Amino acid sequence: MLQMTHISKVFRTDLVQTHALRDFSLNVKEGEFVAVTGPSGSGKTTFLNIAGLLETFDTGTYLLDGKDVSHLSDDSRSRLRNEKIGFIFQGFNLIPDLSVFDNVDVPLRYRGFDGKERRRRIEGALEQVGLASRAKHLPSQLSGGQQQRVAIARALAGTPRILFADEPTGNLDSLMARQVLEMLEEINSSGTTIVMVTHDPELARRAHRNIHVMDGQVSDFTDFSQASAARDALAA
Amino acid sequence: MNLFQKLALDAGPILRALTRSRAGAVLIALQCAITLAIITNAIFIIQDRLKKMARPSGVDVENVFSMSVIPFAPNFDTKGSIEADLRALRALPGVVDAAVVNSFPLLQSGGSSMYAAKPGAKGEEYVGAARYEVDAHTLNTLGLKLIAGRDFREDEIRGREINSQYENPVAILTKAYAEKMFPPDGNAVGKTLYDGNQVAIPIVGVVERAQAPWISWGELEYSAFFSNYRLSFARYIVRAAPGERDRLMPQVEKLLSESNSGRLIESMKSQTDIEARTYGEYRAMAIILVSVIVLIVIITGLGIVGLASFNVNARKKQIGTRRALGAQKGDIVRYFLVESWLITTAGAVIGAGLSFGLSYWMVNTFDLPPLDWHYIPVGVCFLWVLGLVAVLVPARRASQLAPALATRSV
Ligand SMILES: Nc1ncnc2c1ncn2[C@@H]1O[C@H](COP(=O)(O)OP(=O)(O)O)[C@@H](O)[C@H]1O
Ligand SMILES: [Mg+2]
């Protein structure tokens, strides 16, 4: 699904050069749930931005869904994000002046769906996150957890192949964080690939695989798929 | 999907978002409304002024010049002097003709009287006309076009003291006045005009056009010429051959001042100068209004730019998020265009009402004609274009914002 090899990214300002990623290589298979951990400033967000086509990289190759994306135009990158990628942000990033319904509608309009199709998808996505009754509310009228669920509905409404989440629970208390995580697990179990950045080892452990980033490089892999399979077996 | 459908598709949520954070937008919409009201009315007034300035006076403006004659010597032979002066003027090479008159179009000073088409008429049967007291050379000197009957004959011309009665006068009317007095076809030649003293004045001719001397007079085209010129407060008019006027004017001044010292020749002016002075106020008004329009359009344009720039800065995160969710640069530009279009449209709706309100007030206060409604749609289109053009630069800047702003704190 996602194949990065020897990716590097340097941020240049007048005074300093920051090597945000160096020789960064990573493979994420279709249907995987990968958690990315690492100290602050280690390059997690940079990785996610490059993976999600929000930023370009300097050297290396990146195949998304088997397609080389390094030379795509800005418009094609937008279209790919719109069709294949869903984003969930730490700060929810809902548009404050739009209702829940209109927020979920945003990517669907860029997709060019007709009104009927958009309505069907918005209602389905809000149903899925349990907020169908809040369609007319403004983000400010919802709790943090609810806002993040709206953001999840927005990410899901376009039926993306892969979901990128940057600290999706960073602004939530532990109860709400658990709810959000359970929702992500449910989405993943229906086939959507998820890459989630988190600094919470508790949450990270519930992913199939854990990638630790240090200083712009992958420093450690932990595969939980055996462990979680065992846990699922135990729970059953 | 064509561009217009795409724009319309965006309008719904943009409008809903606008109504939720509207403070800046409302101010700009009001500014647009005021702009529309002022520019429609200002352009209407300018048009009105230009139209009035373009009205033909009937006179050969380019080649005519005039001067006042003021006798001051005791026992001055006014009549003899006027006749001698005119003979000398007509003899000058380059002079087409010269005449003595009390007034002429565009002078802004002169007289008018009421006349009726039958004897013993009642009050409302009298109609006013500018009263030109002239000689047999006047039509030719002013360059008026005779369309019926004939010009005055020399034997019909009398010199008259200011407070005396007309002596055997005959009249030539303008077409407009002839049609008013002898409807429907204005066949006035051979008919008779009666003044307030019941003096019967046979009509011998009709000219196509000769404005009254006052440009703001309601019945500007109602004028009548009479074959008794005035001995006091007379003016000479001279028509030069094409291109000869500027050479002739100083020459005429010199000739007249040297030929007779019993009278003064004053305020020698070309008809072009008189026209410019007479319409000077109109021209100044038009220039002021154009400046007002330019200024208010700049201010409103800057207001739109300011609001859009403010919004771009305040919405950096939102713009990054939209980009992350799949908006192309064009979608971001389009968002700001539609938003601006909605604001100017709201302004236009209020402004249309305001335009008529302002017009109504001006009609009552300054006696202006009421606003022609056609100016409103034209003004609205202009407002739309202004809104779209003004927002273009901030919108482009917004579209250049990095999609990564969605994940980076700004
Ligand atoms: N736009 C930028 N310009 C300059 N430096 C940047 C920019 N974005 C990130 N960095 C730097 O790159 C490094 C990695 O940042 P980031 O990927 O945000 O780390 P993390 O998400 O792991 O905290 C940091 O040192 C950060 O300061
Ligand atoms: Mg980060």
Side-chain angles (χ1 to χ4, degrees):
Chain A
M1 186 72 217
L2 181 160
Q3 277 175 281
M4 282 186 174
T5 22
H6 309 305
I7 295 281
S8 76
K9 173 74 177 177
V10 182
F11 289 109
R12 287 186 181 80
T13 60
D14 292 344
L15 295 174
V16 286
Q17 288 192 6
T18 311
H19 290 265
L21 292 183
R22 52 182 105 205
D23 199 20
F24 188 101
S25 298
L26 178 67
N27 257 315
V28 176
K29 288 194 280 293
E30 176 129 35
E32 255 194 309
F33 187 165
V34 176
V36 180
T37 56
S40 179
S42 58
K44 304 182 298 294
T45 297
T46 305
F47 152 68
L48 210 69
N49 281 353
I50 290 173
L53 306 181
L54 297 178
E55 248 163 33
T56 54
F57 50 92
D58 298 324
T59 59
T61 55
Y62 173 24
L63 306 184
L64 177 64
D65 205 9
K67 189 177 175 183
D68 186 347
V69 296
S70 47
H71 299 294
L72 291 179
S73 71
D74 191 79
D75 280 356
S76 325
R77 291 161 68 85
S78 292
R79 202 167 309 122
L80 264 183
R81 286 197 296 272
N82 187 243
E83 289 173 4
K84 292 201 172 162
I85 299 172
F87 285 100
I88 300 166
F89 308 96
Q90 177 172 3
F92 322 138
N93 291 22
L94 297 178
I95 294 166
D97 293 327
L98 290 181
S99 69
V100 164
F101 187 97
D102 282 339
N103 261 287
V104 179
D105 195 21
V106 168
L108 304 180
R109 282 179 182 264
Y110 296 136
R111 189 81 160 262
F113 288 135
D114 65 25
K116 225 172 87 184
E117 174 70 5
R118 296 202 320 268
R119 171 168 293 276
R120 189 183 68 75
R121 283 172 174 263
I122 295 163
E123 283 166 357
L126 287 177
E127 198 77 52
Q128 198 177 340
V129 299
L131 287 173
S133 62
R134 304 300 174 98
K136 289 202 165 71
H137 286 62
L138 288 178
S140 58
Q141 297 167 319
L142 302 177
S143 72
Q146 288 172 322
Q147 289 189 43
Q148 193 60 301
R149 276 149 64 196
V150 174
I152 292 172
R154 181 175 67 183
L156 287 181
T159 49
R161 301 283 308 283
I162 186 164
L163 206 60
F164 292 105
D166 193 358
E167 309 268 11
T169 59
N171 287 8
L172 302 176
D173 63 32
S174 56
L175 182 70
M176 284 177 170
R178 184 121 32 81
Q179 279 184 0
V180 165
L181 193 76
E182 276 161 11
M183 207 157 272
L184 292 180
E185 284 174 331
E186 197 184 307
I187 293 161
N188 175 244
S189 67
S190 65
T192 310
T193 311
I194 296 182
V195 178
M196 174 180 74
V197 166
T198 182
H199 60 260
D200 184 341
E202 192 78 27
L203 298 180
R205 216 166 296 137
R206 294 176 64 168
H208 301 162
R209 195 146 62 98
N210 213 338
I211 291 151
H212 198 70
V213 180
M214 276 284 257
D215 222 3
Q217 280 182 307
V218 178
S219 76
D220 191 17
F221 284 92
T222 319
D223 193 338
F224 291 114
S225 50
Q226 306 300 321
S228 64
R231 191 184 59 208
D232 289 349
L234 218 69
Chain B
M1 208 162 35
N2 65 34
L3 178 72
F4 193 77
Q5 283 171 313
K6 256 192 143 166
L7 288 179
L9 191 69
D10 287 345
I14 296 175
L15 181 62
R16 291 195 284 281
L18 252 183
T19 56
R20 290 192 185 105
S21 62
R22 61 191 153 221
V26 165
L27 284 181
I28 296 298
L30 283 178
Q31 202 180 337
C32 286
I34 292 167
T35 302
L36 181 66
I38 290 176
I39 63 173
T40 48
N41 279 284
I43 289 174
F44 179 63
I45 292 170
I46 291 169
Q47 288 280 8
D48 180 66
R49 291 292 188 263
L50 291 181
K51 231 181 275 165
K52 284 185 172 152
M53 288 169 76
R55 294 172 303 193
S57 65
V59 177
D60 178 11
V61 176
E62 302 294 302
N63 298 309
V64 170
F65 61 98
S66 62
M67 66 221 82
S68 314
V69 192
I70 304 163
F72 64 89
N75 304 318
F76 186 72
D77 173 17
T78 311
K79 192 160 188 293
S81 154
I82 288 174
E83 281 167 359
D85 285 345
L86 290 172
R87 264 196 310 278
L89 286 173
R90 287 168 198 149
L92 268 183
V95 168
V96 174
D97 209 346
V100 57
V101 296
N102 65 327
S103 175
F104 47 80
L106 298 173
L107 184 62
Q108 293 289 65
S109 110
S112 77
S113 292
M114 308 287 280
Y115 302 97
K118 62 179 190 196
K122 283 186 287 293
E124 64 272 20
E125 288 166 323
Y126 281 90
V127 178
R131 191 182 67 240
Y132 290 123
E133 295 161 345
V134 303
D135 66 7
H137 293 262
T138 300
L139 263 51
N140 188 36
T141 305
L142 288 176
L144 305 184
K145 196 170 153 206
L146 197 68
I147 58 170
R150 59 167 177 83
D151 201 346
F152 296 130
R153 289 193 313 256
E154 289 291 353
D155 64 280
E156 290 164 338
I157 303 301
R158 305 282 186 278
R160 178 179 73 91
E161 286 301 342
I162 188 157
N163 286 322
S164 65
Q165 285 272 336
Y166 279 158
E167 194 183 322
N168 301 324
V170 294
I172 294 174
L173 311 185
T174 58
K175 181 164 173 263
Y177 193 52
E179 282 169 357
K180 173 68 181 173
M181 300 306 281
F182 305 98
D185 42 14
N187 279 337
V189 177
K191 308 238 170 67
T192 306
L193 208 57
Y194 297 87
D195 72 5
N197 299 322
Q198 296 302 313
V199 175
I201 309 170
I203 298 162
V204 300
V206 176
V207 291
E208 184 174 51
R209 164 180 289 114
Q211 286 182 343
W214 323 273
I215 52 166
S216 51
W217 206 39
E219 303 300 347
L220 188 60
E221 302 273 317
Y222 289 1
S223 305
F225 294 81
F226 301 97
S227 63
N228 283 197
Y229 69 85
R230 272 205 206 157
L231 294 175
S232 45
F233 300 108
R235 286 169 203 272
Y236 295 156
I237 50 174
V238 179
R239 183 176 179 193
E244 300 279 8
R245 183 194 69 191
D246 294 341
R247 181 183 65 78
L248 276 172
M249 283 173 69
Q251 201 183 335
V252 164
E253 192 150 28
K254 190 158 173 289
L255 171 82
L256 292 181
S257 62
E258 284 169 2
S259 69
N260 191 329
S261 54
R263 46 111 181 88
L264 282 176
I265 298 298
E266 259 192 15
S267 8
M268 174 154 333
K269 284 206 174 68
S270 71
Q271 188 69 0
T272 319
D273 283 351
I274 288 175
E275 182 178 60
R277 188 199 59 193
T278 297
Y279 280 119
E281 209 176 290
Y282 283 27
R283 194 172 297 111
M285 171 73 111
I287 290 168
I288 288 170
L289 289 177
V290 167
S291 318
V292 166
I293 291 171
V294 169
L295 212 68
I296 198 166
V297 165
I298 288 174
I299 291 170
T300 303
L302 288 179
I304 294 168
V305 172
L307 177 68
S309 301
F310 175 84
N311 282 338
V312 171
N313 283 329
R315 294 176 189 159
K316 279 185 176 168
K317 190 112 201 165
Q318 176 186 147
I319 293 163
T321 304
R322 285 179 179 275
R323 294 282 278 129
L325 296 177
Q328 298 179 353
K329 285 178 175 168
D331 293 315
I332 301 298
V333 171
R334 195 148 46 233
Y335 185 99
F336 282 92
L337 291 182
V338 170
E339 184 174 58
S340 179
W341 182 80
L342 287 169
I343 292 171
T344 48
T345 302
V349 171
I350 307 166
L354 221 54
S355 295
F356 284 113
L358 181 60
S359 167
Y360 180 80
W361 177 76
M362 289 199 300
V363 167
N364 288 312
T365 315
F366 301 119
D367 196 28
L368 285 165
L371 179 67
D372 177 352
W373 68 267
H374 287 101
Y375 285 74
I376 305 276
V378 174
V380 171
C381 288
F382 175 77
L383 211 53
W384 279 338
V385 171
L386 176 68
L388 296 183
V389 169
V391 92
L392 221 47
V393 168
R396 276 189 55 83
R397 202 160 57 76
S399 75
Q400 301 299 325
L401 291 174
L405 285 175
T407 56
R408 308 278 184 200
S409 49
V410 281

